[in-house]
Every structure is written in structure tokens, then in C-alpha cells.
Amino acid sequence: MEQRRSVGKDIIKCNHISKTFPNQKESHNVLHNIDLSVEENELVVILGPGQCGKSTLINLIAGLEKATSGDVSVCGKTVEGPGPDRGVVFQSISLFPWLTTIGNVEYGLKMRGVSKAERRKRAQYYIDLVGLNGFEHSFPVALSGGMRQRVGIARAYCIEPNVMLMDEPFSALDAQTRYLMQEELERIWQIEKRTIVFVTNNLEEAIYLADRIIVLSNCPARIKKEYIVDLPRPRNYVSPEFLALRKEIDDIMDSAN
Ligand SMILES: Nc1ncnc2c1ncn2[C@@H]1O[C@H](COP(=O)(O)OP(=O)(O)O)[C@@H](O)[C@H]1O
Ligand SMILES: [Mg+2]
């Protein structure tokens, strides 16, 4: 079952992590013994049903939650809390409404004391990269959902983290915009390669984006299976190879074990 390529160095390591939330009546076991390594510049998609523990897993890597047992390390350092080595993009867009596009994108650099000229230069580069040239001075309220997610991606990139953590970033978008953003993310990632962990419950999105798909079971989530997706990029959603893989993973997701 373990069919991971071994070419680059591991950037993220999750060692036997389990997570239990203490609830009022009984404790709630959400993750069960997850072992996962992600290589440099690999795009790994965590695919699983709703409420299975995907966000919990990404929050553990982000340092927003602590594992009940096991540990997570990023670039050889045990994760103790959030840090600028990890950029996060969530489904619900959390841009500062009082800041413009450029203000939001450069915010992390400003907090770190980067000079105005330098942070403007870097922010502009990532704004151009995500296709928001011309919208530098727009406030979030004036942007569409897809554009706000572009700002979120540029903002995460702008702190130049070692890893990008994306928790269902496109699931609140309409279907058309979602396809477009999948294509855009792949284009951006081809230009600026990063180690990405991308969470989704959408199988088609997973196959379109992933170098490797980790399929999680229902809660408590454990790793059901891993798939290396070696279809040429950019991928065609309706190619026979794409559809065959989709059928295969769909069957695994439906199976009880
Ligand atoms: N802070 C928390 N306290 C208690 N239960 C939680 C907490 N966070 C998540 N859960 C529970 O853990 C389960 C998995 O949640 P989550 O990781 O958000 O799933 P997913 O992202 O796959 O939809 C859910 O049943 C959820 O109610
Ligand atoms: Mg979630």
C-alpha cells in the first residue's frame, strides 16, 4: 500500500498522530495513528468525507491544534504552534476588510518589519502571479469570491513559507469558478513550486491537482490508501485515464474499510 516516491527530502513528517477531543459525555476520537511524510515541492491532497478529521489534521500541521499522541515536524523542527514557515489558506476567507489587496498581501511582511519598499515589491510580484494586477487598491468587499481566494493565496505565498496548507480553499466557490481556481493554482504552483498540503472532499479536484492523494476513512480518520497521480499536467478532467482513476478512488472511498 505504501507506494510513495522517494526522490526529494521530507519537509513535513506526521509521526503516528492521533487526536481525541474531550467532549462533555464521551471523548471524540478524530484521527487514528496517521503517518504521513510530504516531500519538498510535492503537492499532496488529503481527500476524505465531510467531518472525517481533515481540518483537524491540517490544523495539527499548522500548529493550531495539538496531537493527543504522536508529533508533527516541519523542516526537522517539531511543531509547537503556528509559525511563518507555514502559510495557511482557509475556505472562509479571512482577509482584513479595512486593508486593500496589497495591504492584505504585504501584512505578514509588515509584521515582520520588512521595509516598505521591499514588501511592496514582493507583494506586487505575488499579486501579479495570482492574476490580480489592477486590483491592488481594491478592498475585499469589492472582490468576487474567486478573487478573494487569489488574495488569500498571494498572502500565504508572500511570507515565503516552506509549506502551504490549504483547507478546502475552493469549496465555497461556484462550480465554474472552482474549476478556474484549480487551474490557476496549478499554474501558480508550476511557476512558484512549493510544498503544498491541500485538503478537499472533492475527488475530481484531488485528481486534477495532486502529485499524491491520501484517502482518509470516515471518522476516526485513518489512511485508507495512497495514490500517486502521474498523469501529465495540466490534466484533462474527461480523459480516459482521469476517469479511470476517478472510478478506482471512488470505489475505495465508498468501501467500508
Ligand atoms: N475543537 C473541537 N472540539 C471538539 N470536536 C471537534 C473539534 N474540532 C473538530 N471536532 C470534531 O472532529 C470531527 C472532525 O472535524 P474536522 O476535522 O473539522 O472534519 P473535516 O474537516 O474532515 O470536515 C467532527 O466530528 C468535529 O465535530
Ligand atoms: Mg474541514
Side-chain angles (χ1 to χ4, degrees):
M1 193 164 107
E2 172 77 326
Q3 47 168 308
R4 205 162 61 83
R5 286 170 305 179
S6 177
V7 286
K9 64 175 175 173
D10 287 335
I11 296 288
I12 302 172
K13 271 179 173 279
C14 298
N15 300 310
H16 304 297
I17 51 175
S18 295
K19 178 70 181 175
T20 302
F21 288 110
N23 277 359
Q24 277 168 337
K25 283 197 187 125
E26 57 193 44
S27 57
H28 186 17
N29 191 6
V30 176
L31 296 176
H32 179 70
N33 198 22
I34 305 275
D35 255 329
L36 173 66
S37 299
V38 181
E39 287 171 5
E40 187 165 26
N41 295 340
E42 193 181 18
L43 202 169
V44 166
V45 173
I46 309 281
L47 174 68
Q51 299 292 300
C52 80
K54 302 182 297 298
S55 293
T56 303
L57 178 56
I58 214 139
N59 288 342
L60 284 166
I61 302 171
L64 299 167
E65 294 278 3
K66 278 212 178 319
T68 309
S69 61
D71 59 80
V72 181
S73 65
V74 173
C75 295
K77 266 180 37 197
T78 304
V79 169
E80 307 277 8
D85 58 333
R86 283 150 290 148
V88 187
V89 183
F90 292 111
Q91 174 191 336
S92 55
I93 304 129
S94 51
L95 301 176
F96 295 122
W98 61 88
L99 294 178
T100 60
T101 294
I102 200 155
N104 271 287
V105 173
E106 71 173 7
Y107 183 80
L109 297 180
K110 191 173 176 183
M111 288 300 100
R112 279 157 63 192
V114 176
S115 74
K116 187 165 180 175
E118 173 62 22
R119 63 179 198 254
R120 285 274 141 133
K121 197 171 102 199
R122 256 157 72 179
Q124 189 66 53
Y125 173 77
Y126 290 111
I127 286 169
D128 292 347
L129 179 69
V130 302
L132 283 179
N133 188 291
F135 294 93
E136 290 84 349
H137 304 295
S138 304
F139 288 93
V141 69
L143 302 175
S144 68
M147 289 160 93
R148 285 200 289 259
Q149 285 304 38
R150 288 176 197 262
V151 180
I153 293 168
R155 181 177 61 180
Y157 258 106
C158 199
I159 57 170
E160 303 196 329
N162 293 321
V163 308
M164 303 268 279
L165 305 171
M166 302 189 157
D167 189 358
E168 305 207 39
F170 306 146
S171 56
L173 304 174
D174 63 84
Q176 211 56 38
T177 310
R178 187 172 191 158
Y179 281 125
L180 176 65
M181 289 306 294
Q182 289 163 12
E183 291 165 13
E184 282 292 277
L185 177 61
E186 124 118 331
R187 178 187 64 78
I188 294 162
W189 176 74
Q190 293 286 10
I191 298 169
E192 284 287 342
K193 277 280 168 85
R194 290 293 187 282
T195 308
I196 296 183
V197 181
F198 184 105
V199 160
T200 187
N201 63 8
N202 183 302
L203 173 53
E204 204 180 30
E205 182 166 88
I207 299 173
Y208 187 80
L209 290 172
D211 287 328
R212 184 159 54 105
I213 299 175
I214 311 290
V215 182
L216 297 182
S217 67
N218 280 319
C219 199
R222 60 186 169 75
I223 297 179
K224 259 188 168 181
K225 202 161 166 94
E226 295 191 15
Y227 289 89
I228 289 171
V229 186
D230 54 10
L231 305 178
R233 294 175 183 274
R235 293 172 182 155
N236 178 349
Y237 296 96
V238 291
S239 73
E241 297 80 11
F242 194 108
L243 295 173
L245 185 59
R246 186 176 157 170
K247 168 90 176 68
E248 187 182 339
I249 302 180
D250 201 29
D251 289 346
I252 286 288
M253 290 179 78
D254 279 346
S255 73
N257 45 38

